[in-house]
Structures are given as C-alpha cells and as structure tokens.
Amino acid sequence: MSNAPPLPALHATHGGIWLATAEGTRALGRGEAIAQVSETPTILLNAPLVAARLGLSELSGLDLLELYAFVHPARFAVPTPAGMARALGLEPPQDDAGAAAFLRDAAGTLLTTLGNPHWPEREGAWTSAQSLGRLRWPWANLVAPLIDKPAQGERWLFSRLPQWEDAPPRPDPRPHRQDDAATLERLARLVGSGAEAREGQRAYAAAAARAFDPRDSAGRPHFVLAEAGTGIGKTLGYLAPASLHAAEAGGPVWVSTYTKALQRQLAAESARVFPDDRVRREKVVIRKGRENYLCLLNLEDALQGGFQNRAAILAQMVARWAAYTRDGDMVGGDLPGWLPTLFRRAGSTALTDRRGECVYAGCPHYRKCFIERANRAADQADLVIANHALVMILGSRRMDEGRPLARIIFDEGHHLFDAADSTFAAALTGQEAIELRRWILGPESKTRGRRRGLAARLLDLASYDEEGHRAIEQASAAARELPSDGWLGRLAEDLPLGPIEKLLAAVRGTTYARASAADAGYGIETHAAELDVGLIEAAAPAVEALEGLVRPLARLRQRLQAVLEDAPDWLDSAARARVEGALAGLVNRSQTLAAWIALLARLGGPADPDFVDWLAVDRVEGREYDIGLHRRWLDPTRPLAETVLKPAHGLLVTSATLRGGDDWEGAEARSGAVHLDRAAMRFAAPSPFDYAAQAEVLIVTDIKRGDTAALAGAYARLIEASDGGVLGLFTAIQRLRAVHARIADRLAREGLPLYAQHVDPIDTGTLVDIFRDDPRASLLGTDALRDGVDVPGDSLRMVVMEGVPWPRPTVLHGARRAAGGGTAHDDRIVRARLAQAFGRLIRRAGDRGTFVLLSAATPSRLLDAFPPGVAITRVTLDEAVKRIGSRLPSVASLRHQEADQAAKG
C-alpha cells in the first residue's frame, strides 16, 4: 500500500508532461500543466528546472529536493527521479510517466522517515520545522505534525557544533631522503595486494619521490615535471612518496588541484592512506578560500531576520545542513550543489565571507568557525588538499612571514600558467572598487544587517589608540571617493561622481569608440595604448584619490603592528586574532591599491614590456556589468617562481597532458621551471590503454561553419546514433544555447535526455553527476567540461566538439602570441585543448568511444594532439553516423550483457 500524500505530482521533460494523482497518471499539455501548478499544491522535482520546461520564469510548489534537504541534510542525491530512488532505496521509475507517480511515493517515504525513531538527523528538526512554518514553507504543514516535540529543548546549531582548539606550532620537518624501495613498498600497500602491478605507476612514484629530497641550497628547490598518461594511476603514485615523507619527516605536503572534482577524488583516495576515518580527519584536510565556507555570523544574521521570503527558507535549510556537515564547505563540500540553485538568487553567497569582512575573535561563534577550524587543522595535517589559486596566495603570504610552503604537488599542472595568470592579475574596475569601498565603510544602505566596516571591526582599537582612530576616520573619508551604488547607471547617463567614476566613464567611452564588435552585445576591449587626452587627464585625479586612501591605511597598519608589539591589557588571545586578521586584510588591500596606482601611472607613457594592459567593458547580452582597466603579466610564472617555487624545498608538477602535445621546453616555460637555477627533472609515462582499439577520431567534413541548423542537426544525429552518452563541447555559449533549443525536444521523444550548461538552472557539478548517473543522457557544455570531468564507463561514449578550439583573439592573447611564436603559440593551445577533451573519453581499460570534431578545416598539423595509434579519419556526417552506430553497442545491449554476467556469476 502506498504511503504517498494525497497530493498530485507533476513531472516535466522536453519529451512531455505527466501528472500523477491517487487515481493514476496522465499526460498534460503545457497550458493545462501551468494551470495545475498555479492553482493546486503540486509535488515537483527541482522547481526551477520544471519552470524552465513549462516556459515560466518562476514556479512555486512542493519541491521534493527541498524536502530531501530537510530530512537528510549533508547527504547527496542525484536530483533526478532515478537518482532520488537510489538515495531512498526505492525502485527507480522505468519511464517519464512512471516518474510522476514515483514523486508521490518518494514524498511519502521522506515524510514517513520523520516518524522513524532511528532517524539519524532528528536533532534540531522540530525547531527548524517550527521556523519554516512561520516562513510559510510549502512543506511545513505536512512536516511539522510528523515530528514529535522534544521533551526538553533540543540542541540547535550553535550549541551543537564542536569547538576547535589551539595547538602548538609544528617543528620544522626533519631531513629525510626516501629510497626507491621504501617508496615502492608504500605504493604497494596503498594499491592493495589484489591489484595488478603497473610498472608505469611504480616508475612514476619513484620519480615523484625526488621532490621530497632534502634541499641543498636556498632558492633551488627540487623540481619534478611528471607527465603520466591516463590510467597510470598518478594519484596513488604521488600519494605514496608524499605520505611517506609526511610520516618520516614530520612535515605537511600540500596537494594542489585546479578543479573541485579532483579535490573530491583526492579526498576519496586518501582513505587508502588513512583507512581509519577518525585518523583521516586529522591527517587529511581540504583547505579552500574563505569564500567557500559558511560564515556562522552571516547565518545567524540571516536567521534573525536578515533574509526575507525564499532567502529566509534557504537560510533555515543551510542551518539544518550546518549542524551535520563535515567541514562547512558550501562550494564542493557536502552541501548538495543543487540546493542553492533551487532558490535562484536568494542569497546563498551572502552566507559566506566573500568580502573579507570577518571580525575574527570578535565573532561570538569564532571558536566554532568552520574556516578557523580548517585553517588550524591544515597546520597539523599530513596532507593538505587545496587549489592552485589558494596555494599561490598562501605561498606569497607565508614567504613574507618566513614560513613558506615547503613541499607542494601541483596536480592538473597544465593549468598552472592559467592559475598564476589570474592570481597575479590586477584589475581596477567598478565592481572591484565598490567592493573595496564596502570593505572599508560597511553597508551604507538602511537595510537590516550588521555593520562590518573597518570602524566596526576595530572598535576596541579605535577606543584605545587615538592615532589609530584618526587613521580609520581618514580611510573612511577617502573611501567615499570610490564608486558607490548605482555607478553603472550614472556612467550610462554620463553623470559620473568622483574621480574614479570619471576615470571609468573615460574608459567606457574609449572602449566603445575603438572596439570593432561594439554592437554584438558581448564584452568589448581595446589596448591601453595611444590613449586620448581625456582619459589620460582623468587618470591623475584618480591616482590622487587612491593615494589618499593608501596613506591612512598604511598608518593604520603601523598602529595595528604597534598594538601587537605593545600588548595592552585588553589584547587577549581573541583580540590578538582579530587584530592579526585585520592586519592581513589591510596588507591585501594595500597591495591591490599599489597595483591600481602602478597601472594608472603607466597610462600615456611607454608600455611596460613585462605587462599587458587593456581597457574593457564587460557585458552579457548587451547588459553592462563592469567597466575597468586590466593588467596581466606577460609571463605570470615569473611572480609564481619568486613567491611560491623558489621558497619551496621540493615541487612536483604533474598531469596527464603536461606537455599538451608540445615539447618539454614548453612544459618548463608554462610551469615556471625556466626561472629556477636548478634544472627540472623530467619524467613521462605513456598511458597503458590501447587507444587504437578503444577509440577513434572522426573529423566531419560537411558541416558548414556558421550554419547553426546544420550544426544542431549533426549533434542530434550523433547523439541518436550513440544512444546518448555524449559530451558536447562548445566554444561559444550562444551556439550552445541555439543547438540545445533546436534538438532537446527531438531527443527527449527518443528517450534521450539532454542537459546543458548555461541553459538548465543547475550547477555544473550537479549536471555532471546527472550525466554520469544516466547512460542515455547527454550533456552540452563549454570550457569547464573540457577538463577535470571524470565519467568512466558507458555513461560517456562520445565527445563531440563543435570545431577547432582556437583561442579567443583578445588583447592579452595577441600579446602572448606575438611573444610566443605567432601561429606556433596558437597551435600549442589548441593541441592542449584537444588532448584534454580527448582525455575525457577513455578513463579505464574497458572504455570504448569516439571523438568527433565538426570541422572540415581542421589542420593536419594539430592531429598529433591525439595519442599515437588512434585512427583519425575525415568523413561526412552520414559516414560518421553509420560508423558510430556499428561501433558503439547500445545501452540496452550493454545492460543485457551486465544482466547475463550477473546471472552467470
């Protein structure tokens, strides 16, 4: 007997719409479906996605995902009917019509859980349900009566969270040189006795161990460049010497990645190093920037009325999650990526510290803070998993403090150049300037919220130190010269206020005057050279205004340092932490201001050969969202080498595509090895996969460039031929959307779901989870899906690229192209992108697949980006469809094979 609630459920796809009630299931038209959800409380799965399917801008209903997030906080489920079924231990529906009825059953299962005495997430649920009821959460009337009121007040979030404890500083690591035998013994233990011996992995581990040898002179780290083809097992290959070094030398090893997907994979693989979960929590720490973690003070403010309407419901959901989370990571942690997307722009980012406004020990939740706990745990951990940008920022900061990051593994090392490019960039834009203003002044509107400007964060200093108080007042006065709310509108009306807005107005005018694609509706830019007099004249008062801000901030830094040295009576450990935090923030902002002033000082003068400067107006579909001046290093590995590489003792830079079809000299240039006095050690191990037997490359020759209808038709036919399982990669969002709009309904009628970045209101990580979970689904995306996506097995059987992934002809690219050999520079980039995209296809020995490039004009010189031995054939679309249909078994036949094997087993 079904325990489904007496409510209808609606399921909508590109293939149709179905409504399930207690009487049965029937198909609906779009108009009737809209009337249904508008007039009757209806169970849905992912309301924003259903709204998109129905052509509505917004839709309210009983979203099953919200109920799941309440009942099982900090537990992930793929947000599809099949994924929800697996998460709840139910039988997945067999088709879309069955999915509608399933939603009712799933709701019944979740509601029944609320009365289960063994429900593990019971604590705090009654209190949360009462709050959600007052907020008119659609599920509240069904949920609240099913949760027994506790006999006494239940522990709620802020009383439930554990406190972190301080630990003494770690001593310096002991010198330790591991021999190959010890490294290989550790590798064998991690791999396991039943695993097949891989000579490539053993050789890789031995080579990686050299990054942990004792350094023999300052500024000359051991630097290992190691390319390990897919299937070598490089993760365990470097975790073996890294964990051995941490154990024997007593020092931490930082493992840096470019993608969150690899961070999650590393966290999972670390279970082989530390099988005991309690030990692993101490020895392995994921470290991210502050903007990734839930800020408890922001959450408290939201729960006490700082958020309204749907945002207030989101705050309650996040509070439920926060009581059960492993580490408080809201971006890539155990908060389901789909949860914030259910609330659209309802404030999830306001629950993190994105502006550096933390009050540190002044916060009542400081001792329970997720960020502080992660920071302290990282100081004591053996393995710290982080991302390239954070490692570069921390490396620079710790170099100044005299305690650099000594041992670093840069996985996904082919992205090191790009990460350094972003990290060491400077941009004086309206958005950046207004963020600085808010950091100094705090909120200036009359809306509810805590004031967190400098004066509020340093209130005790201001009352103790008169000179410090004057510096804060002067900095606040100078900050009012920065852009304020409404600056974009004023610039559009040619009514700028203050010297910085006037400078940005001149930037905007020059950019529009020079840009060749000003009417296209997308971002435009131009060289910061041969500038008109008006822009050069506007730079002088802007520099004066910025310098007027630098001076009081510098005095304030001096006063904070003096307070730390004098140690007044009120400077307890909590106040010291707050002053140190404010000091770190001042250092960062002062560096930003110095970069802005240096950028403006060059306007009208000779170009600096080390940098590339340009003006830009950032737009989306014709709507301006930022304006400013930009500066990048021509070679960003130069500051990388000075601040991170040279201070280290040993580094390993590794990737499956480290050379990207290029030579070792290119890898050394893009990793920063060329700037070191010690020559880098090189190692390469080819993939063990038989690519000639497992994959082929087809170059389709009859799709005319610019013909969107033909491009869409090609994608549809290829997806149909492979029975789904296609990853489609685009170089332009506009074409992606156009193709998706033309083929999604057609494919859905064949039972082939199609998802797309920039179309479906779902975060990228969840889109990949959905794609991985359904072998008949296909996914369209852009650069974010070209690398770092791990979908082994028959869920990914084909990669289709719309064309040769040439680099976009920006000002920055033009400068680097001129310095890097012209066409050869472009070819290196394209080869790397092709290699990365092809790398998504074959992830394990049993995988089979086809790589399709829809470009007749693909130069033959680029084809060495693919592994040796892979057959590369130029064919028409008809021939490609025929070959794919004959080569790739259907999902149905694969499922039959699996069933037969299971029966025989």
Side-chain angles (χ1 to χ4, degrees):
M1 182 176 178
S2 174
N3 56 358
L7 293 167
L10 185 138
H11 180 61
T13 73
H14 285 290
I17 306 167
W18 293 266
L19 181 72
T21 64
E23 287 72 38
T25 302
R26 62 186 181 89
L28 299 180
R30 182 169 295 175
E32 187 181 359
I34 292 173
Q36 165 69 36
V37 297
S38 301
E39 299 168 2
T40 308
T42 305
I43 299 171
L44 310 167
L45 183 69
N46 196 333
L49 186 63
V50 174
R53 298 289 187 264
L54 298 181
L56 300 174
S57 60
E58 198 168 349
L59 173 63
S60 62
L62 295 157
D63 197 325
L64 195 66
L65 292 178
E66 291 183 27
L67 179 61
Y68 182 87
F70 176 87
V71 177
H72 297 304
R75 288 202 219 176
F76 180 74
V78 176
T80 62
M84 190 63 64
R86 280 186 281 276
L88 297 177
L90 302 175
E91 186 68 26
Q94 298 301 309
D95 51 32
D96 286 334
F102 165 79
L103 299 185
R104 299 183 69 246
D105 293 336
T109 298
L110 287 167
L111 292 171
T112 301
T113 302
L114 301 177
N116 185 342
H118 303 295
W119 175 29
E121 297 101 339
R122 169 179 293 277
E123 189 172 49
W126 184 86
T127 303
S128 182
Q130 305 310 304
S131 299
L132 286 165
R134 291 190 290 273
L135 295 171
R136 299 176 182 252
W137 183 43
W139 286 103
N141 291 336
L142 291 169
V143 165
L146 300 176
I147 305 175
D148 293 335
K149 182 178 180 178
Q152 56 186 10
E154 58 187 352
R155 288 191 307 161
W156 184 216
L157 172 62
F158 300 108
S159 60
R160 192 177 190 276
L161 292 175
Q163 295 192 12
W164 51 260
E165 297 180 356
D166 275 321
R170 294 178 74 167
D172 288 341
R174 299 176 296 277
H176 174 260
R177 187 185 304 273
Q178 54 184 287
D179 58 34
D180 290 353
T183 302
L184 298 180
E185 182 181 350
R186 173 60 65 100
L187 176 63
R189 184 170 69 80
L190 298 186
V191 172
S193 58
E196 179 184 355
R198 287 183 278 185
E199 287 306 314
Q201 186 183 46
R202 288 165 58 84
Y204 174 87
R210 302 286 64 80
F212 301 99
D213 288 342
R215 188 177 64 173
D216 52 24
S217 59
R220 301 178 72 241
H222 296 288
F223 195 102
V224 179
L225 290 170
E227 183 175 84
T230 305
I232 286 294
K234 65 179 170 62
T235 303
L236 291 181
Y238 63 65
L239 284 181
S243 61
L244 186 60
H245 171 83
E248 297 296 333
V253 178
W254 286 69
V255 183
S256 180
T257 77
Y258 191 71
T259 62
K260 294 181 177 69
L262 184 55
Q263 285 188 335
R264 290 194 294 268
Q265 179 184 328
L266 277 167
E269 292 279 17
S270 67
R272 293 176 178 264
V273 183
F274 302 107
D276 184 277
D277 186 65
R278 181 187 60 79
V279 174
R280 187 166 65 256
R281 284 174 177 265
E282 296 178 359
K283 298 291 189 179
V284 182
V285 173
I286 295 179
R287 177 80 193 278
K288 296 185 177 182
R290 304 185 70 87
E291 69 279 2
N292 290 274
Y293 294 93
L294 173 67
C295 170
L296 293 174
L297 195 55
N298 285 358
L299 177 61
E300 182 181 47
D301 181 52
L303 294 174
Q304 292 180 352
F307 280 14
Q308 302 296 326
N309 305 319
R310 286 283 290 168
I313 294 174
L314 172 63
Q316 290 291 335
M317 291 292 181
V318 170
R320 276 284 286 159
W321 163 79
Y324 293 92
T325 179
R326 178 188 178 98
D327 56 11
D329 180 4
M330 293 187 69
V331 185
D334 53 13
L335 179 76
W338 43 256
L339 181 59
T341 65
L342 301 180
F343 297 85
R344 297 292 178 98
R345 295 174 295 276
S348 62
T349 56
L351 295 175
T352 62
D353 178 21
R354 302 187 68 84
R355 297 177 183 165
E357 296 174 334
C358 180
V359 295
Y360 295 90
C363 174
H365 311 300
Y366 181 65
R367 299 288 298 184
K368 298 179 179 182
C369 175
F370 292 117
I371 304 166
E372 295 298 326
R373 184 186 305 154
N375 292 351
R376 282 158 178 76
D379 288 339
Q380 304 299 319
D382 282 2
L383 299 174
V384 184
I385 302 170
N387 59 67
H388 293 347
L390 180 63
V391 166
M392 292 175 190
I393 293 169
L394 288 179
S396 178
R397 185 181 304 166
R398 292 198 178 189
M399 181 194 69
D400 294 337
E401 297 171 354
R403 52 189 191 102
L405 302 180
R407 307 288 177 177
I408 309 173
I409 297 171
F410 286 108
D411 201 342
E412 298 179 306
H414 57 280
H415 281 302
L416 205 53
F417 185 96
D418 296 328
D421 193 26
S422 299
T423 301
F424 299 107
L428 172 50
T429 71
Q431 293 294 354
E432 292 292 326
I434 200 170
E435 285 299 313
L436 178 59
R437 177 188 177 112
R438 289 166 179 164
W439 183 81
I440 296 171
L441 296 176
E444 297 179 86
S445 65
K446 296 181 180 179
T447 56
R448 178 185 174 90
R450 292 175 291 104
R451 188 172 182 81
R452 290 169 290 180
L454 268 181
R457 298 198 297 276
L458 295 174
L459 184 61
D460 44 9
L461 172 73
S463 61
Y464 164 80
D465 185 277
E466 183 176 349
E467 188 175 346
H469 175 65
R470 280 199 303 271
I472 292 173
E473 287 189 328
Q474 291 167 357
S476 298
R480 297 187 189 282
E481 295 291 296
L482 297 172
S484 58
D485 291 340
W487 69 276
L488 270 172
R490 289 193 293 274
L491 263 61
E493 297 172 5
D494 198 22
L495 297 171
L497 294 177
I500 307 300
E501 287 191 18
K502 290 178 181 177
L503 171 69
L504 297 176
V507 167
R508 181 177 184 271
T510 299
T511 307
Y512 271 102
R514 295 184 174 187
S516 58
D519 297 329
Y522 293 94
I524 54 175
E525 60 180 34
T526 187
H527 294 266
E530 301 296 331
L531 299 174
D532 58 85
V533 175
L535 177 53
I536 296 173
E537 290 179 343
V543 169
E544 184 177 347
L546 295 176
E547 289 177 338
L549 180 55
V550 168
R551 287 188 289 270
L553 291 182
R555 284 197 296 274
L556 182 56
R557 285 173 57 190
Q558 293 172 352
R559 297 314 305 160
L560 291 176
Q561 289 168 338
V563 165
L564 291 177
E565 293 171 2
D566 295 343
D569 294 340
W570 56 267
L571 192 71
D572 56 14
S573 61
R576 176 177 288 275
R578 186 164 67 258
V579 172
E580 289 175 344
L583 190 56
L586 284 169
V587 170
N588 291 339
R589 267 65 187 189
S590 297
Q591 291 172 344
T592 297
L593 284 166
W596 289 355
I597 292 171
L599 173 58
L600 294 182
R602 304 294 302 188
L603 294 182
D608 189 325
D610 291 334
F611 296 98
V612 182
D613 299 339
W614 72 94
L615 319 177
V617 176
D618 296 323
R619 304 184 299 179
V620 172
E621 296 178 352
R623 180 181 62 83
E624 296 177 7
Y625 66 88
D626 206 2
I627 300 168
L629 303 98
H630 297 260
R631 163 168 283 187
R632 297 286 181 99
W633 283 83
L634 185 63
D635 177 6
T637 66
R638 286 181 56 188
L640 170 67
E642 294 300 324
T643 59
V644 181
L645 305 186
K646 290 182 179 179
H649 287 232
L651 305 112
L652 168 66
V653 177
T654 186
S655 166
T657 56
L658 189 61
R659 290 177 290 178
D662 203 358
D663 52 23
W664 280 112
E665 285 71 21
E668 291 183 346
R670 294 184 65 80
S671 65
V674 293
H675 303 301
L676 301 179
D677 291 337
R678 185 195 297 271
M681 292 171 274
R682 303 170 175 177
F683 173 86
S687 172
F689 296 150
D690 184 359
Y691 285 113
Q694 292 179 249
E696 68 175 339
V697 174
L698 302 180
I699 300 174
V700 175
T701 59
D702 56 348
I703 304 299
K704 184 179 178 182
R705 182 182 175 88
D707 189 339
T708 303
L711 182 67
Y715 267 97
R717 292 186 62 191
L718 291 169
I719 291 172
E720 290 168 344
S722 68
D723 203 25
V726 174
L727 176 62
L729 299 175
F730 289 76
T731 57
I733 296 174
Q734 185 179 24
R735 285 193 295 276
L736 182 156
R737 289 173 171 164
V739 168
H740 179 273
R742 287 173 178 266
I743 68 175
D745 290 358
R746 166 182 168 177
L747 293 173
R749 288 191 292 270
E750 300 296 323
L752 300 172
L754 181 66
Y755 298 91
Q757 274 185 306
H758 310 291
V759 176
D760 293 314
I762 304 174
D763 66 289
T764 300
T766 301
L767 283 172
V768 174
D769 289 329
I770 294 171
F771 177 52
R772 183 187 294 114
D773 192 62
D774 184 354
R776 301 199 77 200
S778 294
L779 175 61
L780 307 182
T782 53
D783 286 354
L785 298 182
R786 192 183 62 230
D787 198 8
V789 174
D790 190 14
V791 183
D794 63 321
S795 287
L796 175 51
R797 302 181 293 283
M798 187 189 306
V799 173
V800 181
M801 296 192 79
E802 61 158 332
V804 177
W806 297 111
R808 198 161 60 92
T810 63
V811 170
L812 179 61
H813 170 71
R816 288 179 177 158
R817 185 179 191 273
T823 301
H825 178 75
D826 290 347
D827 288 355
R828 282 193 293 270
I829 294 174
V830 174
R831 286 191 184 96
R833 291 176 177 178
L834 289 174
Q836 292 155 17
F838 182 87
R840 303 308 97 213
L841 191 61
I842 307 298
R843 307 300 296 172
R844 61 188 185 190
D847 290 351
R848 299 287 187 276
T850 303
F851 187 95
V852 180
L853 193 56
L854 299 174
S855 174
T858 302
S860 297
R861 68 178 185 276
L862 300 176
L863 300 182
D864 58 358
F866 301 110
V870 174
I872 302 174
T873 311
R874 296 180 186 266
V875 295
T876 65
L877 178 61
D878 287 341
E879 291 170 328
V881 168
K882 184 177 180 180
R883 289 172 71 102
I884 291 163
S886 63
R887 177 182 174 91
L888 292 174
S890 69
V891 172
S893 67
L894 287 169
R895 290 290 176 263
H896 286 313
Q897 292 173 18
E898 292 173 358
D900 291 342
Q901 291 174 359
K904 293 176 182 177

